[in-house]
Amino acid sequence: MSVSAATPSPIGDDDLVGRRVLLVDDDPTVAEVASSYLRATGFVVEEAADGFAALHAADRFAPDLIVLDRMLPGIDGLEVFRRLRERVATPVILLTALGSEDDRIAGLEAGADDYLAKPFSPRELVLRVRSVLRRSIDEFTPESVLEVGGFRLDPSARIATRDGVELQLTVREFDLFEFLLKHPNQVFSRDDLLRTVWGWTYGDLSTVTVHVRRLREKIERDPRSPALLTTVWGVGYRFTIGGAQDAVV
Amino acid sequence: MSVSAATPSPIGDDDLVGRRVLLVDDDPTVAEVASSYLRATGFVVEEAADGFAALHAADRFAPDLIVLDRMLPGIDGLEVFRRLRERVATPVILLTALGSEDDRIAGLEAGADDYLAKPFSPRELVLRVRSVLRRSIDEFTPESVLEVGGFRLDPSARIATRDGVELQLTVREFDLFEFLLKHPNQVFSRDDLLRTVWGWTYGDLSTVTVHVRRLREKIERDPRSPALLTTVWGVGYRFTIGGAQDAVV
DNA sequence: GGCATCCGTCCCGGTTCCGTAAGACTTGCC
DNA sequence: GGCAAGTCTTACGGAACCGGGACGGATGCC
């Protein structure tokens, strides 16, 4: 579905940071990968390995959202789902083994808020969690505009300007720039950026290099010797504003 | 502005708690899921399985809002709708089947306050119930006329004009335009639009593309290079007003 | 019953963008 | 100064994306 807001998950100051997610899956590998990703995005995550624990955790942990595997030992996932619904209105994303449009529809009919087929990429999961949560909070409230040293970036309108002049940024460039603006004066490794901005577990780091270069071409006065988006040799990149404070690694 | 939502769960919204919702659907599964969800959200819910019971309950139960399935045994949903409207001004949300014929019916549905295609996620339903209720509680309810940069759009009368000249918009085009006018300078993915304007949970995104094109044909001075309803590559569409800022090809 | 309208879907062609590879260059270290 | 690791630059192929044209089906109007 490529998901609406293509904006990946900047770690920081989002409305969503700190939201509580209950992850119910009996496969420890899946659970671990998924939860580490969700945590990296800023969610508070609790895991449950079976239906019983899930119901218990739903009460005690009071999650804002539940990710629920349909296949569970003991009580079936759907049964857990039904019992949850009787009590709370927490949104649920359902995980199922095989993916077809029919399954998706069945999931929706059962009352799920979204649906994801295994195997899924953690990125996909994070995107869906964010999307559902955002929808459940207040759908179309514009995000706040960032204004920093001549730059102005409006996430909702997806417009970035420098001194009033619009910068023609592509999707990736915009996302990258947004992330950097939200976390100025801080060094990020290529790996960090690949994970947070791209949402990739692994991948070619040069992808980041190239995009940084392209972004520089559009935001730097002299792209040949960058003054804002600087390279920290052997570490990564930093977007510097104002009184340049050094952040140690 | 913005500021994150205070309450994590959707239950809050004090004004809405305790409001009475009449749910009319003959499918017991749908009815059960939806009503339990609505109850968990804080509404008082009563169910009716057919048109006759619905009309009866509308009198006795005095709901603040009615959720009405279009397909009903006995009296048709639309007929029920019409009879309801003769007597009370209770807002109505219409449930329709996605694959079904009624598109032209959309004209009649214009009388409905909102509509939603099956299958839907209960969260979606709750969102719409809340939004319609909030609207109907508000004083400004007689759907205020929108006036923006030469355009004038009257939702109740379903008339749109540019510089005093009436635009001949179809139902879908009007709905789309109305939504965009209400949320200017904000990018929406095709998926967003499909959900909110069409009331679909899933579907062919090209539907949106085509309707955007048709709408452009009617509102843009030069439809070949749109100045108002612009494409944001890889993301979606934006209706721009105010800051005359436009991307050339 | 015939005609016009509207809607949703599909295909096709042009364009934009992204990720990767390969080579040149720079930095840090010995 | 020489070497290795890290970084920059450029180029390119393929994928994703968007717009236009068109068509069938359904509906309402005459």
Side-chain angles (χ1 to χ4, degrees), chain A residues 102-127:
Chain A
D102 289 343
D103 278 343
R104 181 186 160 82
I105 292 174
L108 283 172
E109 268 168 355
D113 297 280
D114 207 341
Y115 159 95
L116 199 53
K118 284 187 176 180
F120 55 88
S121 78
R123 164 190 169 81
E124 191 66 24
L125 177 63
V126 170
L127 283 177

PDB file of all heavy atoms in Angstrom, chain A residues 102-127:
ATOM      1  N   ASP A 102      -7.986 -11.362   0.040  1.00  0.00           N
ATOM      2  CA  ASP A 102      -9.101 -11.929   0.788  1.00  0.00           C
ATOM      3  C   ASP A 102      -8.830 -11.894   2.284  1.00  0.00           C
ATOM      4  O   ASP A 102      -9.701 -11.574   3.084  1.00  0.00           O
ATOM      5  CB  ASP A 102      -9.351 -13.374   0.343  1.00  0.00           C
ATOM      6  CG  ASP A 102      -9.949 -13.407  -1.049  1.00  0.00           C
ATOM      7  OD1 ASP A 102     -10.451 -12.357  -1.492  1.00  0.00           O
ATOM      8  OD2 ASP A 102      -9.913 -14.470  -1.689  1.00  0.00           O
ATOM      9  N   ASP A 103      -7.588 -12.248   2.622  1.00  0.00           N
ATOM     10  CA  ASP A 103      -7.231 -12.240   4.029  1.00  0.00           C
ATOM     11  C   ASP A 103      -7.368 -10.850   4.606  1.00  0.00           C
ATOM     12  O   ASP A 103      -7.828 -10.662   5.727  1.00  0.00           O
ATOM     13  CB  ASP A 103      -5.787 -12.729   4.209  1.00  0.00           C
ATOM     14  CG  ASP A 103      -5.736 -14.245   4.197  1.00  0.00           C
ATOM     15  OD1 ASP A 103      -6.796 -14.853   4.375  1.00  0.00           O
ATOM     16  OD2 ASP A 103      -4.652 -14.803   3.990  1.00  0.00           O
ATOM     17  N   ARG A 104      -6.961  -9.916   3.811  1.00  0.00           N
ATOM     18  CA  ARG A 104      -7.023  -8.538   4.262  1.00  0.00           C
ATOM     19  C   ARG A 104      -8.467  -8.131   4.556  1.00  0.00           C
ATOM     20  O   ARG A 104      -8.776  -7.524   5.564  1.00  0.00           O
ATOM     21  CB  ARG A 104      -6.434  -7.627   3.194  1.00  0.00           C
ATOM     22  CG  ARG A 104      -6.430  -6.177   3.583  1.00  0.00           C
ATOM     23  CD  ARG A 104      -5.957  -5.332   2.413  1.00  0.00           C
ATOM     24  NE  ARG A 104      -6.391  -3.952   2.578  1.00  0.00           N
ATOM     25  CZ  ARG A 104      -5.753  -3.073   3.320  1.00  0.00           C
ATOM     26  NH1 ARG A 104      -4.666  -3.424   3.947  1.00  0.00           N
ATOM     27  NH2 ARG A 104      -6.198  -1.841   3.430  1.00  0.00           N
ATOM     28  N   ILE A 105      -9.316  -8.511   3.619  1.00  0.00           N
ATOM     29  CA  ILE A 105     -10.723  -8.177   3.788  1.00  0.00           C
ATOM     30  C   ILE A 105     -11.305  -8.882   5.005  1.00  0.00           C
ATOM     31  O   ILE A 105     -12.028  -8.291   5.803  1.00  0.00           O
ATOM     32  CB  ILE A 105     -11.507  -8.552   2.526  1.00  0.00           C
ATOM     33  CG1 ILE A 105     -11.073  -7.648   1.379  1.00  0.00           C
ATOM     34  CG2 ILE A 105     -12.998  -8.415   2.762  1.00  0.00           C
ATOM     35  CD1 ILE A 105     -11.676  -8.005   0.057  1.00  0.00           C
ATOM     36  N   ALA A 106     -10.933 -10.170   5.128  1.00  0.00           N
ATOM     37  CA  ALA A 106     -11.418 -10.927   6.278  1.00  0.00           C
ATOM     38  C   ALA A 106     -10.981 -10.267   7.571  1.00  0.00           C
ATOM     39  O   ALA A 106     -11.745 -10.168   8.527  1.00  0.00           O
ATOM     40  CB  ALA A 106     -10.896 -12.355   6.210  1.00  0.00           C
ATOM     41  N   GLY A 107      -9.751  -9.806   7.571  1.00  0.00           N
ATOM     42  CA  GLY A 107      -9.226  -9.133   8.751  1.00  0.00           C
ATOM     43  C   GLY A 107     -10.024  -7.885   9.076  1.00  0.00           C
ATOM     44  O   GLY A 107     -10.390  -7.637  10.216  1.00  0.00           O
ATOM     45  N   LEU A 108     -10.317  -7.138   8.056  1.00  0.00           N
ATOM     46  CA  LEU A 108     -11.073  -5.912   8.266  1.00  0.00           C
ATOM     47  C   LEU A 108     -12.477  -6.211   8.760  1.00  0.00           C
ATOM     48  O   LEU A 108     -13.002  -5.537   9.634  1.00  0.00           O
ATOM     49  CB  LEU A 108     -11.149  -5.108   6.958  1.00  0.00           C
ATOM     50  CG  LEU A 108      -9.891  -4.339   6.592  1.00  0.00           C
ATOM     51  CD1 LEU A 108     -10.015  -3.766   5.201  1.00  0.00           C
ATOM     52  CD2 LEU A 108      -9.681  -3.223   7.598  1.00  0.00           C
ATOM     53  N   GLU A 109     -13.057  -7.267   8.173  1.00  0.00           N
ATOM     54  CA  GLU A 109     -14.406  -7.616   8.587  1.00  0.00           C
ATOM     55  C   GLU A 109     -14.431  -8.038  10.034  1.00  0.00           C
ATOM     56  O   GLU A 109     -15.370  -7.764  10.762  1.00  0.00           O
ATOM     57  CB  GLU A 109     -14.958  -8.730   7.696  1.00  0.00           C
ATOM     58  CG  GLU A 109     -15.720  -8.175   6.512  1.00  0.00           C
ATOM     59  CD  GLU A 109     -16.020  -9.242   5.487  1.00  0.00           C
ATOM     60  OE1 GLU A 109     -15.552 -10.378   5.672  1.00  0.00           O
ATOM     61  OE2 GLU A 109     -16.704  -8.921   4.509  1.00  0.00           O
ATOM     62  N   ALA A 110     -13.376  -8.736  10.412  1.00  0.00           N
ATOM     63  CA  ALA A 110     -13.296  -9.155  11.803  1.00  0.00           C
ATOM     64  C   ALA A 110     -13.145  -7.938  12.708  1.00  0.00           C
ATOM     65  O   ALA A 110     -13.379  -8.006  13.896  1.00  0.00           O
ATOM     66  CB  ALA A 110     -12.130 -10.107  12.006  1.00  0.00           C
ATOM     67  N   GLY A 111     -12.744  -6.843  12.131  1.00  0.00           N
ATOM     68  CA  GLY A 111     -12.685  -5.624  12.911  1.00  0.00           C
ATOM     69  C   GLY A 111     -11.287  -5.112  13.176  1.00  0.00           C
ATOM     70  O   GLY A 111     -11.084  -4.270  14.033  1.00  0.00           O
ATOM     71  N   ALA A 112     -10.329  -5.618  12.423  1.00  0.00           N
ATOM     72  CA  ALA A 112      -8.974  -5.113  12.592  1.00  0.00           C
ATOM     73  C   ALA A 112      -8.843  -3.736  11.948  1.00  0.00           C
ATOM     74  O   ALA A 112      -9.597  -3.390  11.056  1.00  0.00           O
ATOM     75  CB  ALA A 112      -7.967  -6.069  11.991  1.00  0.00           C
ATOM     76  N   ASP A 113      -7.897  -2.976  12.405  1.00  0.00           N
ATOM     77  CA  ASP A 113      -7.705  -1.649  11.839  1.00  0.00           C
ATOM     78  C   ASP A 113      -6.753  -1.674  10.666  1.00  0.00           C
ATOM     79  O   ASP A 113      -6.795  -0.837   9.789  1.00  0.00           O
ATOM     80  CB  ASP A 113      -7.167  -0.712  12.906  1.00  0.00           C
ATOM     81  CG  ASP A 113      -8.164  -0.552  14.015  1.00  0.00           C
ATOM     82  OD1 ASP A 113      -9.107   0.219  13.846  1.00  0.00           O
ATOM     83  OD2 ASP A 113      -8.013  -1.243  15.048  1.00  0.00           O
ATOM     84  N   ASP A 114      -5.895  -2.646  10.691  1.00  0.00           N
ATOM     85  CA  ASP A 114      -5.023  -2.846   9.549  1.00  0.00           C
ATOM     86  C   ASP A 114      -4.539  -4.268   9.603  1.00  0.00           C
ATOM     87  O   ASP A 114      -4.814  -5.008  10.545  1.00  0.00           O
ATOM     88  CB  ASP A 114      -3.854  -1.871   9.555  1.00  0.00           C
ATOM     89  CG  ASP A 114      -3.354  -1.604   8.142  1.00  0.00           C
ATOM     90  OD1 ASP A 114      -3.654  -2.408   7.240  1.00  0.00           O
ATOM     91  OD2 ASP A 114      -2.676  -0.592   7.944  1.00  0.00           O
ATOM     92  N   TYR A 115      -3.795  -4.620   8.607  1.00  0.00           N
ATOM     93  CA  TYR A 115      -3.512  -6.006   8.413  1.00  0.00           C
ATOM     94  C   TYR A 115      -2.168  -6.122   7.734  1.00  0.00           C
ATOM     95  O   TYR A 115      -1.818  -5.323   6.875  1.00  0.00           O
ATOM     96  CB  TYR A 115      -4.626  -6.582   7.537  1.00  0.00           C
ATOM     97  CG  TYR A 115      -4.273  -7.837   6.831  1.00  0.00           C
ATOM     98  CD1 TYR A 115      -4.596  -9.057   7.393  1.00  0.00           C
ATOM     99  CD2 TYR A 115      -3.621  -7.818   5.615  1.00  0.00           C
ATOM    100  CE1 TYR A 115      -4.272 -10.227   6.750  1.00  0.00           C
ATOM    101  CE2 TYR A 115      -3.296  -8.977   4.965  1.00  0.00           C
ATOM    102  CZ  TYR A 115      -3.620 -10.181   5.540  1.00  0.00           C
ATOM    103  OH  TYR A 115      -3.294 -11.336   4.913  1.00  0.00           O
ATOM    104  N   LEU A 116      -1.397  -7.109   8.140  1.00  0.00           N
ATOM    105  CA  LEU A 116      -0.062  -7.258   7.585  1.00  0.00           C
ATOM    106  C   LEU A 116       0.235  -8.743   7.423  1.00  0.00           C
ATOM    107  O   LEU A 116      -0.024  -9.544   8.317  1.00  0.00           O
ATOM    108  CB  LEU A 116       0.953  -6.603   8.525  1.00  0.00           C
ATOM    109  CG  LEU A 116       2.336  -6.253   7.965  1.00  0.00           C
ATOM    110  CD1 LEU A 116       2.198  -5.412   6.708  1.00  0.00           C
ATOM    111  CD2 LEU A 116       3.116  -5.499   9.024  1.00  0.00           C
ATOM    112  N   ALA A 117       0.761  -9.106   6.248  1.00  0.00           N
ATOM    113  CA  ALA A 117       1.027 -10.511   5.978  1.00  0.00           C
ATOM    114  C   ALA A 117       2.471 -10.848   6.286  1.00  0.00           C
ATOM    115  O   ALA A 117       3.373 -10.089   5.967  1.00  0.00           O
ATOM    116  CB  ALA A 117       0.706 -10.821   4.523  1.00  0.00           C
ATOM    117  N   LYS A 118       2.660 -11.990   6.907  1.00  0.00           N
ATOM    118  CA  LYS A 118       4.015 -12.481   7.136  1.00  0.00           C
ATOM    119  C   LYS A 118       4.527 -13.141   5.875  1.00  0.00           C
ATOM    120  O   LYS A 118       3.766 -13.793   5.184  1.00  0.00           O
ATOM    121  CB  LYS A 118       4.001 -13.493   8.275  1.00  0.00           C
ATOM    122  CG  LYS A 118       3.872 -12.909   9.642  1.00  0.00           C
ATOM    123  CD  LYS A 118       4.038 -14.035  10.667  1.00  0.00           C
ATOM    124  CE  LYS A 118       4.012 -13.482  12.086  1.00  0.00           C
ATOM    125  NZ  LYS A 118       4.178 -14.573  13.063  1.00  0.00           N
ATOM    126  N   PRO A 119       5.779 -13.029   5.575  1.00  0.00           N
ATOM    127  CA  PRO A 119       6.757 -12.251   6.312  1.00  0.00           C
ATOM    128  C   PRO A 119       6.677 -10.781   5.916  1.00  0.00           C
ATOM    129  O   PRO A 119       6.438 -10.461   4.765  1.00  0.00           O
ATOM    130  CB  PRO A 119       8.076 -12.847   5.847  1.00  0.00           C
ATOM    131  CG  PRO A 119       7.797 -13.333   4.469  1.00  0.00           C
ATOM    132  CD  PRO A 119       6.341 -13.698   4.417  1.00  0.00           C
ATOM    133  N   PHE A 120       6.897  -9.921   6.870  1.00  0.00           N
ATOM    134  CA  PHE A 120       6.818  -8.494   6.576  1.00  0.00           C
ATOM    135  C   PHE A 120       8.151  -7.844   6.895  1.00  0.00           C
ATOM    136  O   PHE A 120       8.942  -8.369   7.674  1.00  0.00           O
ATOM    137  CB  PHE A 120       5.726  -7.841   7.418  1.00  0.00           C
ATOM    138  CG  PHE A 120       5.893  -8.082   8.884  1.00  0.00           C
ATOM    139  CD1 PHE A 120       6.665  -7.231   9.649  1.00  0.00           C
ATOM    140  CD2 PHE A 120       5.286  -9.166   9.492  1.00  0.00           C
ATOM    141  CE1 PHE A 120       6.837  -7.457  11.004  1.00  0.00           C
ATOM    142  CE2 PHE A 120       5.455  -9.392  10.854  1.00  0.00           C
ATOM    143  CZ  PHE A 120       6.233  -8.542  11.608  1.00  0.00           C
ATOM    144  N   SER A 121       8.398  -6.730   6.280  1.00  0.00           N
ATOM    145  CA  SER A 121       9.607  -5.996   6.611  1.00  0.00           C
ATOM    146  C   SER A 121       9.302  -5.125   7.814  1.00  0.00           C
ATOM    147  O   SER A 121       8.215  -4.592   7.938  1.00  0.00           O
ATOM    148  CB  SER A 121      10.043  -5.134   5.440  1.00  0.00           C
ATOM    149  OG  SER A 121       9.261  -3.974   5.372  1.00  0.00           O
ATOM    150  N   PRO A 122      10.258  -4.999   8.695  1.00  0.00           N
ATOM    151  CA  PRO A 122      10.047  -4.171   9.880  1.00  0.00           C
ATOM    152  C   PRO A 122       9.645  -2.750   9.513  1.00  0.00           C
ATOM    153  O   PRO A 122       8.852  -2.119  10.207  1.00  0.00           O
ATOM    154  CB  PRO A 122      11.401  -4.180  10.576  1.00  0.00           C
ATOM    155  CG  PRO A 122      12.302  -5.038   9.793  1.00  0.00           C
ATOM    156  CD  PRO A 122      11.579  -5.643   8.673  1.00  0.00           C
ATOM    157  N   ARG A 123      10.178  -2.298   8.404  1.00  0.00           N
ATOM    158  CA  ARG A 123       9.842  -0.956   7.947  1.00  0.00           C
ATOM    159  C   ARG A 123       8.344  -0.842   7.703  1.00  0.00           C
ATOM    160  O   ARG A 123       7.691   0.114   8.085  1.00  0.00           O
ATOM    161  CB  ARG A 123      10.602  -0.659   6.658  1.00  0.00           C
ATOM    162  CG  ARG A 123      10.082   0.516   5.876  1.00  0.00           C
ATOM    163  CD  ARG A 123      10.765   0.561   4.507  1.00  0.00           C
ATOM    164  NE  ARG A 123      10.144   1.492   3.600  1.00  0.00           N
ATOM    165  CZ  ARG A 123      10.365   2.786   3.619  1.00  0.00           C
ATOM    166  NH1 ARG A 123      11.186   3.303   4.499  1.00  0.00           N
ATOM    167  NH2 ARG A 123       9.770   3.581   2.755  1.00  0.00           N
ATOM    168  N   GLU A 124       7.830  -1.882   7.051  1.00  0.00           N
ATOM    169  CA  GLU A 124       6.407  -1.895   6.755  1.00  0.00           C
ATOM    170  C   GLU A 124       5.589  -1.842   8.045  1.00  0.00           C
ATOM    171  O   GLU A 124       4.607  -1.110   8.148  1.00  0.00           O
ATOM    172  CB  GLU A 124       6.085  -3.178   5.971  1.00  0.00           C
ATOM    173  CG  GLU A 124       4.712  -3.231   5.358  1.00  0.00           C
ATOM    174  CD  GLU A 124       4.526  -2.194   4.267  1.00  0.00           C
ATOM    175  OE1 GLU A 124       5.540  -1.771   3.680  1.00  0.00           O
ATOM    176  OE2 GLU A 124       3.371  -1.800   4.021  1.00  0.00           O
ATOM    177  N   LEU A 125       6.033  -2.623   9.004  1.00  0.00           N
ATOM    178  CA  LEU A 125       5.311  -2.642  10.275  1.00  0.00           C
ATOM    179  C   LEU A 125       5.313  -1.271  10.940  1.00  0.00           C
ATOM    180  O   LEU A 125       4.267  -0.772  11.368  1.00  0.00           O
ATOM    181  CB  LEU A 125       5.937  -3.674  11.221  1.00  0.00           C
ATOM    182  CG  LEU A 125       5.306  -3.735  12.613  1.00  0.00           C
ATOM    183  CD1 LEU A 125       3.849  -4.154  12.539  1.00  0.00           C
ATOM    184  CD2 LEU A 125       6.075  -4.677  13.524  1.00  0.00           C
ATOM    185  N   VAL A 126       6.482  -0.683  10.991  1.00  0.00           N
ATOM    186  CA  VAL A 126       6.583   0.631  11.618  1.00  0.00           C
ATOM    187  C   VAL A 126       5.683   1.644  10.919  1.00  0.00           C
ATOM    188  O   VAL A 126       4.969   2.418  11.556  1.00  0.00           O
ATOM    189  CB  VAL A 126       8.042   1.131  11.606  1.00  0.00           C
ATOM    190  CG1 VAL A 126       8.109   2.574  12.034  1.00  0.00           C
ATOM    191  CG2 VAL A 126       8.899   0.273  12.519  1.00  0.00           C
ATOM    192  N   LEU A 127       5.695   1.595   9.602  1.00  0.00           N
ATOM    193  CA  LEU A 127       4.874   2.529   8.844  1.00  0.00           C
ATOM    194  C   LEU A 127       3.395   2.359   9.170  1.00  0.00           C
ATOM    195  O   LEU A 127       2.666   3.326   9.339  1.00  0.00           O
ATOM    196  CB  LEU A 127       5.101   2.329   7.346  1.00  0.00           C
ATOM    197  CG  LEU A 127       6.396   2.918   6.799  1.00  0.00           C
ATOM    198  CD1 LEU A 127       6.554   2.595   5.326  1.00  0.00           C
ATOM    199  CD2 LEU A 127       6.398   4.422   6.998  1.00  0.00           C
TER     200      LEU A 127
END
